[in-house]
């Protein structure tokens, strides 16, 4: 089971696209796998034949567990690999070992003594079964030490951060068995903790648990206990990671949305068939959020231990509500996108997010996020920062409100509430205020966004 996202610990095999015995080439789609965030296509890593399928459709598998075997030339399925390896060692030794059990059957004791000088070579399962019980006890003791030395050598060569090594030592995790997700495959603290959880989960499944009293059946109209999906588990984990260690503070503004509505109507009047008519108010908001970050670049940052990381590009995250929870697809290098390009990308990402047809790189690594609940009738709200991002914008609906115009007359105005949730370790009040001032200027003068 491949690790298709940074938070994935298990996956559900939704559907096989190839059958057992089919020829496959590298890059062919083998199956659809549902992670904690999306359903993605899994491509074949090599050419060969799909010889074995170990997991049926609908099965859940931990990351790293086998789900299929692709047979290259001269290969056999994993169940037969030990025999193959024995044959490859030395044909002459194998023939001798096949003959030896026949001689040993009548007299076990004398042959145990004769086998003692040859004990270092007795490494395959067939010889262990044929040898007497005393020889069997000695063999593992002699072969265990070299194996331990090899494992320690492998662990020493693993690229890992100092923190990851310390956590691995505390949790008893073998670094050589952990797949790193950091730069150049470097093992991070997150990788170590995920590996520790996976091992614990496997151990729990192997234990014999005390019988539990079955939950009472729930009748119609009564409450129900619904198990969390993988996505809901990750959302819960991320929220705790955010609101706990991240010091939030909030800045609120109300903008005059009249010019924004007028610009939207003007584009709409161009005709339903025109591309411009498809641009929404939210598209204007996204473009303004990006342009404001270009003018105030210090907000496009995140906290990283003893430093603040200042990003050169603006990778804009967009909160998209789906049935199982929330996804944040990312528009890469958003500062180089026009209003129309942003509009088209958002529609495509949102459509594929709802259908769980996104790639991991499309919803990872945003520098800040915009969440808009205005279309659902919410006047205003405060959003939770998505770590390690420095802030998130919460956009409310446009409401008609009595306002005083420049001539001191009470008129009907359009107002939109915007809340900026900031990580105080990255953004101070004055910096956040400077960003919101620029955002207000752009949204109240939307023609600047058309340039």
């Amino acid at each position: 089971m491949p690790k298709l996202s940074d938070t994935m610990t298990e996956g559900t095999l939704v559907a096989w696209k190839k059958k057992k015995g089919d020829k496959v080439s590298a890059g062919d789609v083998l199956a659809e796998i549902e992670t904690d965030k999306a359903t993605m296509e899994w491509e074949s890593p090599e050419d060969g034949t799909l010889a074995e399928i170990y997991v049926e459709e609908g099965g859940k598998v931990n990351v790293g567990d086998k789900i299929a075997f692709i047979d290259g030339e001269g290969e056999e399925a994993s169940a037969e690999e030990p025999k193959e390896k024995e044959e490859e060692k030395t044909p002459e030794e194998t023939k001798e070992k096949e003959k030896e059990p026949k001689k040993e059957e009548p007299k076990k004791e004398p042959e145990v003594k004769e086998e003692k000088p040859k004990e270092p070579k007795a490494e395959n399962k067939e010889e262990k079964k044929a040898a007497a019980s005393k020889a069997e006890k000695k063999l593992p003791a002699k072969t265990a030490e070299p194996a331990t030395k090899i494992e320690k050598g492998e662990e020493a060569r693993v690229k890992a951060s100092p923190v990851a090594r310390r956590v691995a030592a505390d949790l008893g995790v073998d670094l050589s068995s952990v797949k790193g997700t950091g730069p150049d495959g470097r093992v991070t603290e997150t990788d170590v903790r995920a590996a520790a959880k996976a091992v614990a989960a496997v151990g729990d499944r192997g234990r014999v648990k005390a019988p539990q009293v079955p939950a009472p059946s729930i009748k119609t109209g009564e409450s129900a206990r619904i198990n969390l999906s993988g996505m809901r588990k990750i959302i819960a984990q991320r929220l705790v990671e955010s609101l706990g260690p991240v010091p939030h503070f909030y800045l609120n503004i109300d903008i005059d949305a009249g010019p924004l509505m007028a610009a939207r109507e003007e584009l709409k009047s161009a005709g339903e068939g025109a591309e411009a008519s498809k641009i929404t108010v939210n598209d204007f908001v996204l473009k303004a959020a990006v342009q404001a970050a270009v003018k105030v670049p210090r907000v496009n940052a995140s906290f990283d231990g003893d430093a603040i990381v200042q990003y050169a590009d603006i990778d804009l995250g967009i909160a998209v509500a789906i049935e199982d929870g929330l996804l944040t697809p990312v528009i890469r290098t958003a500062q180089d996108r026009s209003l129309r390009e942003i509009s088209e990308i958002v529609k495509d990402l949102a459509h594929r997010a709802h259908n769980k047809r996104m790639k991991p790189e499309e919803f990872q690594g945003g520098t800040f996020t915009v969440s808009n609940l205005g279309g659902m009738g919410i006047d205003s709200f405060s959003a939770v920062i998505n770590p390690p991002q420095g802030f998130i914008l919460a956009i409310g609906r446009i409401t008609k409100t009595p306002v005083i115009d420049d001539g001191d007359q009470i008129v009907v105005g359009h107002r939109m509430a915007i809340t900026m949730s900031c990580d105080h370790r990255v953004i101070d009040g004055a910096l956040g205020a400077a960003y919101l001032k620029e955002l207000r200027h752009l949204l109240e003068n939307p023609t600047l966004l058309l340039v």
Side-chain angles (χ1 to χ4, degrees):
M1 174 61 70
K3 187 173 184 178
L4 299 176
S5 73
D6 56 346
T7 56
M8 179 179 173
T9 57
E10 67 175 13
T12 301
L13 208 149
V14 178
W16 283 104
K17 297 301 182 182
K18 298 289 185 181
K19 300 188 297 295
K20 182 178 177 180
D22 286 356
K23 296 286 185 182
V24 296
S25 301
D28 288 354
V29 177
L30 293 181
E32 288 185 355
I33 294 174
E34 182 180 357
T35 71
D36 54 337
K37 295 183 178 178
T39 299
M40 287 169 278
E41 294 177 336
W42 176 47
E43 298 177 352
S44 174
E46 58 186 50
D47 299 340
T49 303
L50 187 58
E52 294 291 342
I53 291 177
Y54 300 118
V55 179
E56 298 299 325
E57 293 182 355
K60 286 191 176 182
V61 186
N62 289 327
V63 170
D65 288 355
K66 64 181 181 180
I67 56 177
F69 177 75
I70 298 176
D71 182 11
E73 292 185 6
E75 291 182 341
E76 296 180 10
S78 57
E80 300 176 4
E81 282 180 359
K83 292 182 181 179
E84 180 185 342
K85 288 180 181 177
E86 288 172 12
E87 292 172 6
E88 288 176 359
K89 285 181 182 178
T90 23
E92 294 179 5
E93 282 184 15
T94 307
K95 289 178 181 178
E96 290 176 6
K97 289 170 184 176
E98 288 175 354
K99 294 177 182 178
E100 284 174 2
K102 295 178 182 178
K103 295 179 181 179
E104 290 173 5
E105 284 176 4
K107 298 180 181 180
K108 292 184 179 179
E109 291 301 325
E111 289 187 13
V112 171
K113 294 177 183 179
E114 290 174 9
E115 286 296 320
K116 285 182 180 178
K118 298 181 181 180
E119 280 174 12
K121 293 182 180 180
E123 294 174 0
N124 59 65
K125 292 181 180 178
E126 293 179 5
E127 190 166 353
K128 286 181 182 178
K129 290 178 181 178
S133 58
K134 291 182 181 179
E136 286 179 351
K137 292 178 182 178
K138 292 179 181 179
L139 285 173
K142 293 190 176 182
T143 55
E145 291 180 4
T148 305
K149 291 178 182 177
I150 292 169
E151 288 174 4
K152 289 181 179 178
E154 288 178 353
E155 185 170 344
R157 292 193 295 271
V158 173
K159 291 183 179 179
S161 66
V163 176
R165 291 186 183 278
R166 187 176 69 249
V167 173
D170 294 341
L171 299 178
V173 175
D174 180 10
L175 284 176
S176 63
S177 65
V178 180
K179 184 178 180 182
T181 59
D184 298 325
R186 187 182 181 89
V187 176
T188 65
E189 180 187 356
T190 304
D191 298 331
V192 174
R193 294 190 183 280
K197 289 180 181 178
V199 171
V202 173
D204 288 342
R205 287 199 298 272
R207 296 192 190 106
V208 178
K209 297 183 179 179
Q212 297 181 352
V213 179
S217 59
I218 299 170
K219 299 178 181 178
T220 305
E222 293 184 358
S223 301
R225 179 183 175 85
I226 301 172
N227 291 329
L228 292 179
S229 64
M231 179 177 292
R232 295 290 342 164
K233 289 178 182 177
I234 295 300
I235 290 173
Q237 176 186 333
R238 297 286 284 171
L239 288 177
V240 172
E241 289 175 355
S242 180
L243 280 176
V246 177
H248 285 59
F249 77 96
Y250 308 94
L251 298 174
N252 305 284
I253 59 170
D254 284 325
I255 69 158
D256 180 4
L260 193 59
M261 295 292 287
R264 169 73 186 94
E265 288 301 320
E266 188 174 344
L267 289 174
K268 191 174 180 180
S269 66
E272 286 301 323
E275 288 296 321
S277 68
K278 298 178 182 178
I279 294 176
T280 66
V281 170
N282 189 56
D283 296 333
F284 276 100
V285 172
L286 296 176
K287 177 63 175 174
V290 171
Q291 287 300 102
V294 171
K295 296 290 183 67
V296 188
R298 287 171 57 201
V299 300
N300 190 44
S302 66
F303 184 77
D304 185 25
D306 58 353
I308 293 175
V309 179
Q310 182 78 54
Y311 299 107
D313 291 325
I314 297 173
D315 294 334
L316 177 63
I318 310 145
V320 177
I322 61 176
E323 184 179 355
D324 293 337
L326 187 72
L327 278 179
T328 52
V330 178
I331 302 176
R332 305 292 176 186
T333 60
Q335 74 275 10
D336 298 329
R337 312 286 185 179
S338 67
L339 177 62
R340 182 174 297 177
E341 285 177 321
I342 287 177
S343 178
E344 291 172 352
I345 294 171
V346 167
K347 288 177 177 62
D348 175 60
L349 290 175
H351 174 74
R352 288 191 289 116
H354 282 113
N355 290 282
K356 291 189 175 182
R357 290 292 183 271
M358 296 193 69
K359 298 176 182 177
E361 60 270 19
E362 291 179 317
F363 52 77
Q364 295 175 1
T367 56
F368 70 88
T369 299
V370 175
S371 178
N372 192 335
L373 291 179
M376 297 182 179
I378 301 301
D379 293 335
S380 65
F381 66 103
S382 300
V384 178
I385 297 170
N386 185 19
Q389 297 174 10
F391 76 97
I392 183 172
L393 291 177
I395 313 299
R397 73 187 181 103
I398 296 175
T399 59
K400 289 183 178 181
T401 309
V403 296
I404 300 175
D405 64 9
D406 295 336
D408 291 336
Q409 299 295 316
I410 298 177
V411 297
V412 176
H414 293 84
R415 291 292 183 268
M416 181 168 66
I418 298 177
T419 301
M420 181 180 184
S421 305
C422 306
D423 181 346
H424 215 324
R425 300 171 299 179
V426 181
I427 300 172
D428 294 324
L431 179 59
Y435 174 80
L436 288 179
K437 179 181 178 181
E438 189 62 41
L439 180 64
R440 182 201 297 273
H441 175 67
L442 291 167
L443 288 175
E444 293 183 350
N445 297 275
T447 53
L448 296 174
L449 303 172
L450 300 174
V451 179

